Amino acid sequence: MSVQTVRNADLIVINGRVLTMDSTRPTAEAVAVTDGLIAAVGDLSTIEALRGPDTRVIDARGGSVVPGFIEAHMHLFSGAAELAHLQLAGVHGFEALREAVQAYAASRPTQRMLVGQGADYTILGSERVTRHHLDAILPDRAFLMAAPDHHTYLANTRALEMADMLHGRELTPGNEIVMGTDGLAEGELRENEAFNPVLKLAGEERVRLGLSTGGEPNPMPDADEREGDRAIMRRGLDWCARHGITSVQNMDGNYYQLELLSEVEAEGDLICRVQVPFHYKNFMTPDMLDKASDMAERYDSDWLSSGLVKLFYDGVLDSWTAVMIEPYADRPDWVGEPLFSPEEFKRFAVEVDRRGLQIAVHSIGDGATRAVLDGYEAAQQANGKRDSRHRVEHIEVTTDQDVPRFAELGVICSMQPPHPPGSMGLPLEPTVSRIGRDRWRLSYAWRTLKNTGAHVVFASDWPVSPIDPIAGIQAAVTRGVWEEGLPDQSFSLHEAIAGYTVEGAYTEFAEGRKGRLKPGFFADFVVLSGDVDATPIEELHTVRPVTTVCGGRVTYQA
Ligand SMILES: [Zn+2]
């Protein structure tokens, strides 16, 4: 005869409105956790029965309990570093900009290069910002500010001089130092090669390496610098946990980031699960993908993994660097310049796919997306169809011809509810005029794509947009149309939550372990301050994470 004892739970959550995202049991009152996994989901009495003397109890007080948010596209290291920058989101007009910049400069009297972020393209109304505006604000110290999308920076004369760029410089296609009629740089710097030399002077080269070159620090940082970089990572992870995020799919990377994160893990501070890709750039050759395979082999745990190759195929609409099939509506002779040729991309896609790795490509214009889908199709033809889950990032404009191809090819649409013009306080212009009325119908077409059966996963692209998934969910549900008669691209509340949970899990091949609250799944969840189903959608952002739990451990407590 054997006596079976039911083990007491390590942690239980009671009095919650549990939204499991699991269709077999959509709602519950309570959750029990043992050994970092969900032991049971059920009514109060079932879960109370698992309570022992050492069980930690979290009273949700009627708030929603949802699966931990999975951020499917973000930049952890640079985002974390930027928490210390001048935040210009919402600042408009010369006076407001002047006040913000001068106050920030005064608070950092010895900083060599001052950096701002979140300066939208219409920060001075319809007037284009040049170095002369910035010189009038800060004549004697170097200043640089990023547009929200981080594809354009604006520098003052001092910053351009320090980086030896006032007279321009040769750059590879897709990058541009905008030159004035006087033969000098105007201050606007488009894409990495154009602004990296200035940003380097801000001492943030290491945090941006995974994005700018995908390479490793050289020279390697000393012990103090490395500890400083670990502190930045910890700050970023805290920022995630505070917003209810339990998994991060990072969209830039190198060995250095993986090493820092594994050091943070050894110190017991890896409080989110992180995936870090290998970043492939257009100056690389396919043999360099050995590094991607090695990263995938070395980092393959539930907490820290790789297995993904990230690439930029084009830029962004606002600086005309996105690649379009037909010319821009406000620049009739221009379709943008791709960072890879379609043939190069095909060779790349076939090779990465052959290695069994996943691909994620930044592709904003319809021309870029056409080429990326062609590459994925070529990979299937060359290597045979497998469960590859290759991804396209952003897909801001697409075409009738390409809409069905995502589902057909099993390609994931990775889209960002905070990004459409008009969402979350973003201005409509210049973006909507740049796209042109004829293309509005299939711009940021989440619903159209989802209706084809394609997987649509949501993310913030932090620090491009605020990290807050709840604000993103609200933006997805309240998404309006730019003009009467355009298709409704909004998501229902539960569809939007799935975009930040279930779909994120699918995207990283982890739908059997996370994204839902289900026995045996990771105990990754967030207890919210209110009931999301009972909150008017316009007020959803007021519902805040109260407790974040990742792997059964409390990682944030309000
Ligand atoms: Zn990104």
Side-chain angles (χ1 to χ4, degrees), residues 17 62-64 470 474 477 493 528-544:
R17 302 198 47 100
S64 293
I470 298 172
Q474 179 176 334
V477 179
L493 177 64
L528 302 174
S529 63
D531 176 356
V532 293
D533 286 298
T535 305
I537 191 63
E538 297 72 26
E539 284 159 35
L540 192 69
H541 63 280
T542 64
V543 173
R544 301 317 311 159

Side-chain angles (χ1 to χ4, degrees), residues 73 75 251 310 312 394 461 464:
H73 182 132
H75 303 277
M251 280 295 140
K310 169 76 189 301
F312 281 83
H394 312 310
D461 200 4
V464 169

Side-chain angles (χ1 to χ4, degrees), residues 317-341:
L317 294 164
D318 286 346
S319 61
W320 295 281
T321 51
V323 172
M324 309 297 277
I325 295 170
E326 298 294 333
Y328 280 88
D330 63 349
R331 197 169 163 186
D333 58 343
W334 181 250
V335 294
E337 251 178 327
L339 298 166
F340 289 81
S341 73

Side-chain angles (χ1 to χ4, degrees), residues 172-365:
T172 64
N175 300 276
E176 187 183 1
I177 299 168
V178 178
M179 301 301 287
T181 47
D182 58 359
L184 298 177
E186 282 193 329
E188 183 172 339
L189 306 168
R190 295 178 183 162
E191 304 297 331
N192 270 296
E193 270 182 49
F195 49 71
N196 273 339
V198 191
L199 265 180
K200 192 171 169 177
L201 299 170
E204 288 184 5
E205 203 190 8
R206 283 194 305 279
V207 308
R208 292 187 44 84
L209 266 181
L211 194 59
S212 56
T213 69
E216 306 303 326
N218 181 21
M220 278 310 264
D222 63 27
D224 282 352
E225 290 169 323
R226 215 174 165 102
E227 172 46 31
D229 288 348
R230 278 196 299 273
I232 292 172
M233 281 294 195
R234 281 193 294 263
R235 204 192 307 152
L237 293 164
D238 279 337
W239 192 246
C240 293
R242 156 182 299 274
H243 289 91
I245 294 166
T246 53
S247 285
V248 164
Q249 293 161 20
N250 206 45
M251 280 295 140
D252 63 272
N254 51 13
Y255 280 126
Y256 186 56
Q257 290 191 20
L258 283 160
E259 286 165 14
L260 286 176
L261 287 164
S262 62
E263 288 162 19
V264 168
E265 184 179 16
E267 290 164 349
D269 293 333
L270 189 63
I271 57 173
C272 298
R273 308 176 192 276
V274 187
Q275 182 183 34
V276 177
F278 170 71
H279 186 176
Y280 190 80
K281 302 289 281 189
N282 57 3
F283 53 77
M284 293 179 177
T285 50
D287 57 296
M288 293 168 89
L289 289 164
D290 285 348
K291 179 172 163 181
S293 295
D294 184 61
M295 282 164 81
E297 219 165 281
R298 281 213 243 167
Y299 297 92
D300 188 24
S301 81
D302 294 336
W303 287 93
L304 189 56
S305 62
S306 185
L308 178 70
V309 181
K310 169 76 189 301
L311 169 153
F312 281 83
Y313 193 87
D314 69 350
V316 292
L317 294 164
D318 286 346
S319 61
W320 295 281
T321 51
V323 172
M324 309 297 277
I325 295 170
E326 298 294 333
Y328 280 88
D330 63 349
R331 197 169 163 186
D333 58 343
W334 181 250
V335 294
E337 251 178 327
L339 298 166
F340 289 81
S341 73
E343 285 314 310
E344 279 170 333
F345 180 74
K346 271 185 199 166
R347 277 198 299 278
F348 159 87
V350 169
E351 175 57 18
V352 179
D353 185 77
R354 187 190 67 75
R355 289 169 181 263
L357 302 171
Q358 190 183 19
I359 308 171
V361 180
H362 168 113
S363 169
I364 283 187

Side-chain angles (χ1 to χ4, degrees), residues 472-483:
I473 290 165
Q474 179 176 334
V477 179
T478 56
R479 165 87 183 273
V481 292
W482 299 332
E483 189 181 68

Side-chain angles (χ1 to χ4, degrees), residues 69 134 145 157 164 175 213 251 334 402 447 456 503:
F69 297 121
L134 302 181
M145 64 183 193
T157 303
D164 195 17
N175 300 276
T213 69
M251 280 295 140
W334 181 250
D402 288 326
R447 164 66 53 197
V456 177
E503 294 297 343

